[in-house]
Amino acid sequence: MSRAWQVVLGSPVNRRDILGIVRTCREETGRTFNKQYESAISRFLVDASAGRIYLIDVRGVPAGYASVSFQQSVSWGGRLAVLEELQLLKAYEGQGLAQRVLRAIIGDLENFGPDVVVAYVKEDDPLAAVYEIVGFSRTALIRYSDQESDESC
């Protein structure tokens, strides 16, 4: 018997499913999806040193995605994995799936070897509590950007 859900590492093989679920999730929450965004995702699919994108699959149907970027950090003391986005379709929210998915992604990242995993989450994001449940600590962060953004963080 197969699991009812799974987290699948993005690759060129599942590119169409990844791009489709990212577009759908973003549109469902009123956020844009454009060529620049598609290009960033595509890089994660072919360059493991840049980051990872995960497809969240429920019984063979794309249900969400997560993206993680990698960087070297002096302030964090090594290789940093930044969990940038974790989003489920609204139909899959409230079922405890986000917590299970987050644990699976952290397990994959621990095997991949970053020194620290951090997540950027707005305080009013419904998933903020999930990060704390799985062991993330809330820290103060003021983020500055030279670009306007409709992103969740």
Side-chain angles (χ1 to χ4, degrees), residues 22-23 26-27 29-34 37 85 150-151:
V22 173
R23 179 183 301 277
R26 292 182 67 78
E27 289 173 352
T29 57
R31 296 182 297 156
T32 60
F33 183 89
N34 56 32
Y37 205 82
E85 292 186 297
D150 67 348
E151 301 307 310

Side-chain angles (χ1 to χ4, degrees), residues 101-121:
V101 164
L102 189 53
R103 288 183 194 280
I105 290 170
I106 291 168
D108 178 65
L109 291 172
E110 287 174 351
N111 292 330
F112 195 65
D115 298 302
V116 178
V117 179
V118 299
Y120 294 145
V121 183

